[in-house]
Amino acid sequence: MKNKYSIFSLVRNAVSYHQNWSQAWRSPDPKPAYDAIIVGGGGHGLATAYYLAKEHSITRVAVLEKGWIGGGNTGRNTTIVRSNYLWDEAAHLYEKSLKLWEGLSQELNYNVMFSQRGVMNLGHTLQDMRDIVRRSSANQLNGIDSEVLTPAQIKNIEPTINISQQARYPILGASFQPRGGVARHDAVAWGFARGADRYGVDVIQNCEVTGIRQQNGSVTGVDTTRGFIAAPKVGVVAAGHSSLLADYAGLRMPIESHPLQALVSEPLKPVLNTVIMSNAVHGYISQSDKGELVVGAGIDSYIGYGQRGSYSVIEGNIAAIVELFPNFSRVKMLRQWGGIVDVCPDACPIISLTPVKGLYFNCGWGTGGFKATPGSGWVFAYTIARNTPHGLNAAFDLNRFYTGALIDEHGAAGVAH
Amino acid sequence: MTISGSKHSQFVGIDLDASFKGIAGDYGVWFNEISVTEFVNLRGDSTHSGFLTGVQRVTGVELPVIPNTVVRSGGLSCHWLGPDEWLMTVKKPEVSIMQDLEDSLSGLHIAVTDLTGGQSLFGVGGRQSRDVLSAACTLDLHADAFAQGSCAQTILAHSNVLITPAFQSSGDCVFEVLVRRSYADHLIRWLMDAAHEDGFEFRLDDNSGLD
Amino acid sequence: MLSIDCPWCGSRDQSEFSYGGEAHIVRPKEPEKLSDEDWGDYLFNRKNTKGRFEEQWCHTAGCRRWFNAVRDSQSYKIEAVYKIGEQSPDGIPE
Ligand SMILES: Cc1cc2nc3c(=O)[nH]c(=O)nc-3n(C[C@H](O)[C@H](O)[C@H](O)COP(=O)(O)OP(=O)(O)OC[C@H]3O[C@@H](n4cnc5c(N)ncnc54)[C@H](O)[C@@H]3O)c2cc1C
Ligand SMILES: [Zn+2]
């Protein structure tokens, strides 16, 4: 690979005072035609392009991004990665993704800072604990690492957590996935962009898709702010904007777009060892390598494309975190922002062919698709290349909303992430 | 002193001697208990004249049809809750309207529901009462916006409440706060905490200053 | 943070309201006669409009009435509210 990042390239470039690093990816102008177009330069879109090129040798590919790559939910999320979902279909899909995460930095020759520090889902009621035991057992049957912890074991891993039984919602236990963790969100987008670029994929930013053209029921290309671009295959991976793109193609989607917020604090010395999530009090928290506490909130109930949410939501969210970690009550929050998440009725994604030939949709990841980035790209590339879903995503097709074969992951996906 | 026995007190378990002088050296806020002997929820069609007269026959008052208003008369208050829903509170032990309403409105499409025992009513008065309530309520409680004769259902410290301003002859305002009984303890403690800066005391003179 | 005009109570804080999603979805009169596609479409598919959007709200912590609003889902500005049973400003009858 040209310009491979290594200790040698670091030394070589140090000699020239780091003035001569080559661009990680090009900024090409769009060509008139491609073999496949990916709409949306988030992690999922870029991963799709990467695996199309790498696994299926389809390299005449363009990724069209209306803003900058990773500027959507990919760059706005709290980066929790885990695979402990309840149902077989979801567990297999997220586990495939987790396996890809485990080798991703090497695969991409780009440090995505994947840190397997473990993810804990707390239980605060007897019903929570029953659900946790059930989900954990299901995970084990699927070969996914999962343990049920007692409050004392939780305290052992996370000494600052409040396990007092006097709390309004006392912690009764948790499920724990040691292989779960966090990654660096931007790096994932950049790593896949660089990887795809190496195979000749054109990553085109500031290029909004404004129409999807079709002829005799087959897709022929897309209209963009930089003109028409032809392609016999178009994969849409536009997260919160999926309904708009479906509209361009005359399709209806079971998707609603909601604001979802996150916050980070001032940097602190290391205080959190793992990732803590709680459905019942609704909050999730981890500590970034810079030392910031990264806190995720819930969605606003209303449809919103504004990339900002309500104050009352973050207020409730912070109250939840302070309930779990009373010692954080004096911590200053520095920044707060929102993303637009594409919520699906069964809290599972849609990775599917559509009634329009050559048009594919990958959406509905809602509040929890970052963890699936490599796996989602991997199965979507397969689906586009072969015009048929892979076994791992066959159940996640659009038809399930007509057959009723929903995959209800509200429990495992319950808290946003 | 703590009230322990009385079934009807929302102050059960709260230390009523826990008065606390604020920065100004006095009590900016006071709380008192308001005992209500009957709470009745009434639903019906206010465009139906038989309904309106039927209610008036029993209560002596005209049902308020303007949103967020209250009509009071001789120990009986009638609060607008919705376009077809009202709350009646009776503060006289010797009066009961439940059965009389049912009889008077029989044959009409109505619902009369006894809520007695499920609700708590207390007063928040004093110089700083408006400030203390405003700390946990998004409603504009200023007298210009929330005048005599108004009432409003809203959220106070995460609890659903019905707030009714009652102006005394001195011009001072006492806010009557109605809350579901199981939330009363939380709410009073929250308000005691919020009133620390201004100082607070409990007044045991039931219904002081209120009609 | 939204400030929403309840058609009965007037302007109140968003925290007093619950959201009900897309307005004017009519429940099919004879569901058993629908195809699976039409039933699925009724149950799950939504407009999810970016821009002017007709939607349902309930004043949960106030008068507890459902009503409709026209809100811009990008600027969040509320253009109009109207009672259930009233015509939308765009003339969609309820
Ligand atoms: C606050 C927050 C916290 C989250 N926390 C977690 C978490 O902890 N763990 C987890 O697994 N997931 C989490 N998520 C969810 C996760 O971020 C998303 O599911 C995932 O990143 C989606 O990736 P994507 O590539 O599909 O979408 P995006 O990154 O949003 O990419 C879609 C891209 O499409 C582009 N686009 C849209 N319309 C057009 C158009 N017409 N033409 C061209 N381009 C277009 C957009 O600009 C955007 O860049 C969180 C999300 C948010 C908002
Ligand atoms: Zn109202």
Side-chain angles (χ1 to χ4, degrees):
Chain A
M1 192 192 275
K2 198 167 128 246
N3 294 324
K4 191 171 185 315
Y5 293 156
S6 69
I7 183 75
F8 304 110
S9 66
L10 194 63
V11 170
R12 196 165 53 246
N13 280 285
V15 176
S16 55
Y17 300 98
H18 298 292
Q19 301 288 314
N20 298 325
W21 285 101
S22 59
Q23 260 185 324
W25 60 86
R26 301 161 295 131
S27 281
D29 285 327
K31 299 192 184 88
Y34 290 91
D35 291 340
I37 286 173
I38 304 301
V39 183
H44 290 221
L46 293 163
T48 305
Y50 173 79
Y51 290 113
L52 267 177
K54 185 185 171 231
E55 305 280 334
H56 307 280
S57 307
I58 301 179
T59 56
R60 280 190 4 117
V61 175
V63 177
L64 307 182
E65 165 54 50
K66 78 178 162 105
W68 64 96
I69 60 168
N73 294 342
T74 298
R76 293 164 185 269
N77 82 100
T78 50
T79 78
I80 301 173
V81 175
R82 60 189 174 92
S83 65
N84 53 354
Y85 281 69
L86 175 65
W87 300 105
D88 293 353
E89 296 87 343
H92 293 161
L93 180 63
Y94 288 104
E95 178 61 16
K96 165 73 188 173
S97 195
L98 183 50
K99 294 233 165 70
L100 289 171
W101 275 111
E102 286 174 328
L104 199 61
S105 292
Q106 288 75 14
E107 156 105 28
L108 296 176
N109 178 234
Y110 200 96
N111 187 2
V112 298
M113 295 167 78
F114 180 47
S115 155
Q116 293 181 291
R117 59 186 70 175
V119 175
M120 229 183 246
N121 294 78
L122 302 176
H124 301 262
T125 63
L126 289 177
Q127 187 56 42
D128 274 0
M129 289 315 296
R130 285 184 207 110
D131 291 340
I132 280 173
V133 171
R134 177 187 182 207
R135 184 161 47 78
S136 195
S137 308
N139 293 157
Q140 288 171 15
L141 288 172
N142 275 318
I144 294 170
D145 58 321
S146 183
E147 303 162 20
V148 178
L149 303 182
T150 63
Q153 289 171 312
I154 295 171
K155 187 84 179 163
N156 204 22
I157 295 174
E158 208 59 272
T160 52
I161 201 165
N162 176 22
I163 57 164
S164 155
Q165 295 304 300
Q166 305 312 311
R168 173 67 185 83
Y169 295 100
I171 293 170
L172 302 184
S175 70
F176 187 54
Q177 182 175 26
R179 285 164 63 239
V182 289
R184 172 81 204 279
H185 45 16
D186 298 320
V188 176
W190 298 337
F192 274 118
R194 176 169 170 267
D197 180 88
R198 295 295 152 103
Y199 284 108
V201 170
D202 285 353
V203 177
I204 302 167
Q205 309 188 64
N206 294 313
C207 180
E208 178 173 354
V209 171
T210 54
I212 295 177
R213 286 205 211 166
Q214 39 181 307
Q215 208 166 29
N216 306 327
S218 298
V219 80
T220 57
V222 295
D223 291 307
T224 78
T225 45
R226 295 172 72 176
F228 173 74
I229 309 176
K233 292 185 178 212
V234 174
V236 176
V237 208
H241 282 79
S242 302
S243 301
L244 269 76
L245 283 137
D247 219 27
Y248 298 154
L251 304 174
R252 270 163 67 78
M253 284 280 160
I255 298 280
E256 290 188 308
S257 298
H258 292 268
L260 176 66
Q261 301 179 83
L263 310 80
V264 291
S265 74
E266 58 190 329
L268 305 175
K269 292 219 169 126
V271 59
L272 280 181
N273 298 317
T274 179
V275 181
I276 307 282
M277 307 171 58
S278 167
N279 271 7
V281 299
H282 209 113
Y284 39 109
I285 184 165
S286 65
Q287 189 170 21
S288 76
D289 292 348
K290 275 194 277 181
E292 303 156 321
L293 298 178
V294 181
V295 178
I299 59 168
D300 267 291
S301 61
Y302 53 81
I303 287 174
Y305 286 87
Q307 288 188 329
R308 60 190 184 279
S310 304
Y311 186 73
S312 56
V313 170
I314 46 178
E315 191 185 17
N317 177 231
I318 291 301
I321 295 300
V322 171
E323 164 101 7
L324 301 175
F325 296 96
N327 55 332
F328 291 166
S329 65
R330 297 293 172 104
V331 173
K332 293 185 191 73
M333 301 313 290
L334 287 194
R335 288 179 290 126
Q336 162 269 347
W337 63 90
I340 312 166
V341 295
D342 39 340
V343 175
C344 207
D346 58 355
C348 272
I350 295 164
I351 315 169
S352 181
L353 312 190
T354 68
V356 180
K357 211 168 156 278
L359 180 65
Y360 311 88
F361 265 77
N362 182 347
C363 59
W365 291 96
T367 58
F370 178 73
K371 64 177 72 65
T373 305
S376 159
W378 195 88
V379 296
F380 198 42
Y382 183 104
T383 306
I384 295 172
R386 312 253 181 124
N387 192 39
T388 181
H390 186 271
L392 283 171
N393 67 309
F396 296 91
D397 69 345
L398 268 170
N399 262 341
R400 71 181 191 271
F401 299 99
Y402 310 124
T403 61
L406 303 186
I407 306 154
D408 181 5
E409 280 293 358
H410 285 284
V415 65
H417 47 58
Chain B
M1 170 197 156
T2 23
I3 299 180
S4 54
S6 159
K7 276 200 293 230
H8 293 290
S9 176
Q10 54 275 65
F11 294 162
V12 168
I14 287 176
D15 180 5
L16 300 183
D17 298 326
S19 54
F20 193 94
K21 283 191 180 143
I23 293 169
D26 62 356
Y27 307 113
V29 180
W30 53 260
F31 305 110
N32 80 329
E33 176 166 16
I34 305 169
S35 55
V36 174
T37 47
E38 200 172 44
F39 289 96
V40 177
N41 182 286
L42 173 67
R43 301 200 63 171
D45 179 0
S46 65
T47 61
H48 192 292
S49 63
F51 174 68
L52 292 180
T53 52
V55 175
Q56 195 162 12
R57 220 171 15 245
V58 176
T59 61
V61 300
E62 232 175 280
L63 271 185
V65 290
I66 297 170
N68 300 303
T69 57
V70 59
V71 175
R72 297 170 183 267
S73 159
L76 185 133
S77 307
C78 182
H79 299 81
W80 182 96
L81 296 184
D84 57 6
E85 186 172 5
W86 294 264
L87 178 76
M88 318 274 192
T89 59
V90 183
K91 294 176 183 165
K92 287 183 177 166
E94 66 279 11
V95 177
S96 169
I97 56 170
M98 195 43 219
Q99 193 57 49
D100 295 347
L101 276 174
E102 269 185 13
D103 294 344
S104 173
L105 300 173
S106 77
L108 298 180
H109 184 59
I110 52 113
V112 186
T113 312
D114 187 359
L115 303 179
T116 316
Q119 318 285 317
S120 281
L121 188 67
F122 61 89
V124 183
R127 201 178 62 242
Q128 306 287 359
S129 54
R130 187 172 283 124
D131 291 350
V132 167
L133 292 176
S134 296
C137 179
T138 56
L139 210 64
D140 183 354
L141 299 174
H142 192 273
D144 289 350
F146 202 43
Q148 177 83 303
S150 317
C151 64
Q153 298 163 89
T154 184
I155 296 174
L156 179 64
H158 305 283
S159 316
N160 284 43
V161 291
L162 170 66
I163 306 183
T164 312
F167 290 82
Q168 296 169 314
S169 44
S170 60
D172 291 342
C173 178
V174 178
F175 294 95
E176 286 190 9
V177 177
L178 178 112
V179 65
R180 287 194 184 87
R181 196 179 166 77
S182 54
Y183 281 73
D185 183 69
H186 154 77
L187 193 53
I188 301 258
R189 286 174 198 275
W190 199 99
L191 291 171
M192 284 164 67
D193 188 50
H196 248 79
E197 190 178 323
D198 302 312
F200 63 87
E201 61 176 335
F202 284 92
R203 290 193 179 168
L204 293 175
D205 48 337
D206 194 351
N207 295 346
S208 60
L210 304 171
D211 65 290
Chain C
M1 205 73 194
L2 308 180
S3 176
I4 301 172
D5 275 325
C6 168
W8 286 277
C9 305
S11 176
R12 295 291 186 93
D13 193 82
Q14 172 198 327
S15 52
E16 293 187 7
F17 296 84
S18 334
Y19 189 62
E22 184 179 326
H24 305 296
I25 295 174
V26 181
R27 188 184 161 83
K29 284 226 165 57
E30 296 176 289
E32 65 282 3
K33 297 211 169 130
L34 292 188
S35 66
D36 289 349
E37 281 67 27
D38 288 340
W39 180 243
D41 185 62
Y42 160 71
L43 279 185
F44 298 120
N45 288 342
R46 295 293 177 264
K47 283 187 197 152
N48 197 24
T49 311
K50 180 178 183 176
R52 260 176 114 258
F53 186 52
E54 282 155 338
E55 59 189 14
Q56 312 175 96
W57 287 90
C58 180
H59 192 189
T60 330
C63 64
R64 313 212 315 271
R65 262 53 191 186
W66 283 98
F67 60 94
N68 293 324
V70 182
R71 186 178 59 95
D72 187 308
S73 64
Q74 192 172 18
S75 70
Y76 298 174
K77 187 175 158 51
I78 296 172
E79 189 183 298
V81 294
Y82 52 103
K83 294 175 183 171
I84 300 287
E86 288 178 358
Q87 277 215 343
S88 91
D90 297 339
I92 300 177
E94 176 69 348

